[in-house]
């Protein structure tokens, strides 16, 4: 509150594509998609129209004992896209995390394994900030104050390749971290309900990216030791990492990944371990999320950034674990706005845009363009320039302890909205960004770096 005496809030009047326009008419390019939620620009005509139409029909009805077309259609579509055929809805990401954690625990309890009460996550992970979600989050600034209130969980070494030893490839490092995971799980599995993970990119950790082989190994380890794998795709789902869901890349052959440019230059890819290649049933084709995750949490981009909605998808086996005459064996997580029709209609419009505009395919050219243009930034003292689909990031080498704040302010003065995390500057723009808008984004960043470094 006090900081805003020097940093007044910016009153936004209007959104237009990638631009936010304040009450004085200043324009800001929204290079963070309004905290990673906006996929197809502000004031998007198609999503707006879908919500308006739904508003003329039905604004809301409780899902207890009732249902409606948008929630059924959306569940069917998400089921097809992920291979996980059962959906549970809430309104925000943290709630999705809570639901997945509770459901995992409750499933084991219903299956005669009530001792499986513990969760593990990655070092530097972020899964939301309600008490349960914070319990598996590992970001000190959000967590430490509330530590006495939180459930205990253990953190596994993060495969974020910035943490690799000098000379170690991203892949070797990911495999080394997976070995540490296996060591922990092999001794604690009897008490473990689930491993919750952000697939491919730990966004809140400062866009920490890692090699997809880690997901493959995590799946193998979780299967071997009977532990659920919860994929928190709240930030990375819906095309952010270059595929519809980040988990899909764990099952792709590494040649496919390289050809499609998913593994950026910074990932040094060595030969894949032969036993893993042979074990890959889905060589050379995009596969479903269900090959990796027992649960997937979705939110943020699900409505294109229009309305709050989240969803936890899971598989038949979990669903069957709750299928019973006894009410208390059911999953009792009451949420007033579950499956809200307006939010579901925005989500359906978002998925329709993916289909009609072939978004995953057409983003590839944009990703390539951003990567090329970002080479201009390598003249500055930066390191770990990295890309994963429509996420690009680099770390600035500076002694300035207020770098994030100074950079944010300087960028706004140049018409650019970025929110550095520590020394990490990242771009996560709406997919509708044009080449000239990308040019603007990079040029503004160059001006900011010239001023600050
Ligand atoms: C944003 C985020 C959440 C929390 O979502 P909210 O809607 O802010 O509660 C959880 N997990 C990840 C990976 C996120 O990026």
């Amino acid at each position: 509150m006090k900081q805003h005496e020097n940093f007044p809030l910016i009153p936004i009047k209007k959104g237009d594509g990638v631009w936010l326009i304040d009450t004085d008419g200043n324009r800001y390019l929204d290079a963070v998609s309004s905290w990673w939620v906006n996929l197809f620009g502000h004031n998007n005509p198609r999503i707006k129209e879908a919500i308006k139409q739904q508003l003329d029909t039905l604004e809301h009805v409780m899902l207890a004992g009732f249902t409606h077309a948008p929630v059924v259609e959306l569940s069917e579509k998400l089921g097809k896209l992920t291979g996980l055929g059962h959906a549970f809805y809430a309104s925000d990401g943290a709630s999705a995390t809570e639901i997945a954690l509770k459901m995992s625990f409750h499933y084991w309890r219903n299956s005669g394994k009530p001792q499986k009460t513990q969760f593990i996550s990655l070092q530097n992970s972020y899964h939301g900030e309600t008490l349960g979600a914070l319990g598996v989050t590992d970001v000190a600034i959000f967590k430490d104050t509330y530590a006495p209130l939180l459930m205990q969980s253990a953190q596994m070494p993060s495969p974020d390749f910035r943490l690799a030893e000098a000379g170690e490839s991203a892949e070797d490092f990911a495999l080394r971290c997976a070995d540490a995971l296996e060591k922990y799980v092999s001794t604690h599995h009897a008490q473990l309900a689930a491993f919750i993970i952000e697939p491919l990119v730990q966004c809140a950790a400062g866009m920490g990216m890692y090699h997809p082989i880690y997901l493959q190994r995590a799946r193998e380890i979780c299967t071997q030791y009977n532990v659920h794998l919860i994929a928190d795709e709240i930030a990375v789902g819906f095309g952010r990492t270059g595929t519809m869901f980040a988990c899909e890349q764990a099952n792709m052959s590494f040649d496919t990944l390289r050809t499609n440019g998913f593994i950026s230059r910074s990932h040094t890819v060595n030969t894949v371990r032969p036993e893993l290649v042979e074990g890959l049933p889905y060589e050379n084709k995009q596969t479903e999320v269900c090959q990796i995750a027992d649960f997937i949490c979705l939110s943020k981009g699900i409505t294109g950034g229009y309305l709050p909605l989240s969803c936890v998808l899971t598989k038949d086996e979990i669903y069957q674990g709750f299928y019973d005459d006894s009410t208390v064996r059911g999953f009792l997580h009451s949420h007033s706005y579950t499956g809200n029709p307006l939010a579901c209609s925005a989500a359906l419009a978002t998925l329709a845009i993916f289909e009609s505009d072939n978004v995953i395919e057409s983003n590839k050219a944009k990703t390539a363009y951003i990567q090329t243009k970002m080479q201009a930034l390598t003249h500055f003292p930066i390191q770990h320039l990295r890309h994963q689909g429509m996420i690009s990031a680099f770390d600035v080498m500076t002694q300035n302890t207020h770098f994030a704040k100074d950079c944010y302010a300087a960028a706004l003065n140049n018409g650019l909205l970025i929110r550095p995390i520590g020394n990490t500057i990242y771009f996560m723009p709406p997919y509708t960004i044009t080449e000239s808008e990308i040019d603007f984004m990079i040029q503004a960043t160059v001006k900011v770096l010239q001023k600050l470094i």
Side-chain angles (χ1 to χ4, degrees):
M1 300 304 290
K2 200 167 175 194
Q3 286 166 13
H4 282 304
E5 286 174 16
N6 299 321
F7 274 107
L9 298 173
I10 299 167
I12 295 299
K13 186 167 182 198
K14 190 172 143 55
D16 178 18
V18 298
W19 299 96
L20 292 167
I21 301 150
D22 72 14
T23 44
D24 293 331
N26 298 312
R27 293 162 67 83
Y28 308 94
L29 192 153
D30 186 358
V32 296
S33 296
S34 285
W35 256 350
W36 321 341
V37 301
N38 190 296
L39 301 188
F40 301 120
H42 297 278
N43 207 0
N44 181 290
R46 285 183 276 182
I47 304 175
K48 185 166 66 176
E49 189 50 39
I51 298 170
K52 281 184 179 167
Q53 277 192 15
Q54 184 58 42
L55 197 52
D56 282 337
T57 321
L58 174 70
E59 80 299 335
H60 185 67
V61 63
M62 63 180 175
L63 273 196
F66 292 84
T67 190
H68 54 79
V71 80
V72 173
E73 268 175 60
L74 181 60
S75 307
E76 300 267 333
K77 286 221 153 79
L78 292 173
K80 272 208 190 89
L81 283 169
T82 59
L84 298 167
H86 301 280
F88 197 101
Y89 291 91
S91 303
D92 58 87
S95 290
T97 299
E98 300 286 342
I99 288 162
L101 298 177
K102 282 177 69 180
M103 212 183 269
S104 170
F105 159 78
H106 197 163
Y107 170 85
W108 293 122
R109 186 183 161 88
N110 282 353
S111 313
K113 295 193 170 71
Q115 73 283 6
K116 281 168 103 53
T117 58
Q118 314 215 330
F119 298 97
I120 53 174
S121 62
L122 287 180
Q123 170 197 2
N124 304 326
S125 60
Y126 183 90
H127 299 291
E129 288 167 65
T130 49
L131 293 178
L134 205 48
V136 289
T137 287
D138 185 39
V139 180
I141 192 163
F142 302 136
K143 185 168 191 173
D144 286 357
T145 308
Y146 305 100
L149 306 181
L150 303 178
M151 129 181 116
Q152 298 293 315
S153 68
Q155 275 62 56
M156 303 296 113
S158 165
D160 175 349
F161 68 71
R162 290 175 298 174
L163 305 170
E165 300 282 341
E168 189 177 30
S169 74
E171 184 185 358
D172 285 343
F173 181 55
L175 289 171
R176 184 154 68 87
C177 293
D179 287 346
L181 170 71
E182 179 160 25
K183 199 163 167 221
Y184 186 89
V185 173
S186 66
T187 41
H188 296 86
H189 60 93
Q191 286 79 43
L192 285 181
F195 176 29
I196 182 166
I197 185 170
E198 295 155 271
L200 295 188
V201 189
Q202 292 187 283
C203 296
M207 304 298 152
M209 300 183 184
Y210 61 87
H211 196 284
I213 201 163
Y214 185 83
L215 292 175
Q216 220 173 68
R217 288 288 296 127
R219 175 69 271 170
E220 289 168 353
I221 294 162
C222 286
T223 301
Q224 184 179 350
Y225 292 101
N226 218 15
V227 171
H228 291 144
L229 187 59
I230 302 171
D232 177 352
E233 295 233 10
I234 290 166
V236 293
F238 300 100
R240 252 315 146 191
T241 65
T243 42
M244 193 62 170
F245 300 105
C247 279
E248 292 167 30
Q249 293 183 45
N251 279 331
M252 286 181 173
S253 82
F254 291 101
D255 280 342
T256 310
L257 286 168
R258 256 170 300 200
T259 317
N260 290 335
F262 293 136
I263 298 179
S264 71
R265 274 177 294 272
S266 321
H267 288 85
T268 332
V269 181
N270 292 345
T271 44
V272 180
R273 298 201 308 190
E275 69 272 22
L276 289 177
V277 176
E278 277 158 32
L280 272 180
Y282 292 94
E283 269 264 291
N284 289 323
K285 65 174 188 186
Q286 226 167 278
T287 54
E288 291 163 328
V289 176
C290 61
Q291 297 297 323
I292 294 296
D294 300 302
F295 299 88
I296 179 173
C297 302
L298 303 172
S299 190
K300 291 207 164 98
I302 192 171
T303 60
Y306 264 73
L307 287 165
L309 180 71
S310 67
C311 183
V312 177
L313 293 155
T314 191
K315 54 188 190 177
D316 291 345
E317 190 187 324
I318 305 288
Y319 174 83
Q320 287 303 334
F322 293 89
Y323 194 78
D324 200 274
D325 289 326
S326 159
T327 305
V328 292
R329 282 178 63 94
F331 187 65
L332 306 181
H333 185 97
S334 317
H335 180 68
S336 310
Y337 279 99
T338 189
N340 174 257
L342 295 171
C344 289
S345 67
L348 285 167
T350 300
L351 291 178
I353 294 175
F354 272 101
E355 256 177 61
S356 64
D357 294 8
N358 205 3
V359 170
I360 298 293
E361 227 14 68
S362 60
N363 273 358
K364 284 179 190 165
K366 257 170 222 189
T367 299
Y369 189 80
I370 293 172
Q371 293 184 13
T372 308
K373 287 285 161 174
M374 281 180 76
Q375 287 305 310
L377 302 168
T378 57
H379 302 300
F380 294 98
I382 66 165
Q383 59 180 346
H384 303 306
L385 178 59
R386 54 198 184 277
H387 311 278
Q388 180 72 60
M390 289 296 278
I391 307 174
S392 292
F394 57 91
D395 297 355
V396 177
M397 292 186 273
T398 167
Q399 302 302 318
N400 178 356
T401 49
H402 302 122
F403 176 77
K405 217 188 281 177
D406 293 350
C407 185
Y408 167 75
L412 284 176
N413 284 333
N414 284 286
L416 177 66
L417 168 51
I418 50 175
R419 279 182 64 104
I421 302 171
N423 292 352
T424 298
I425 294 183
Y426 72 88
F427 302 126
M428 211 160 163
Y431 306 158
T432 46
I433 193 168
T434 63
E435 290 196 350
S436 65
E437 286 162 347
I438 293 169
D439 292 344
F440 178 92
M441 178 174 85
I442 307 292
Q443 280 157 17
T445 307
V446 166
K447 282 183 212 158
V448 168
L449 290 176
Q450 275 165 349
K451 178 164 182 263
L452 293 184
I453 304 179

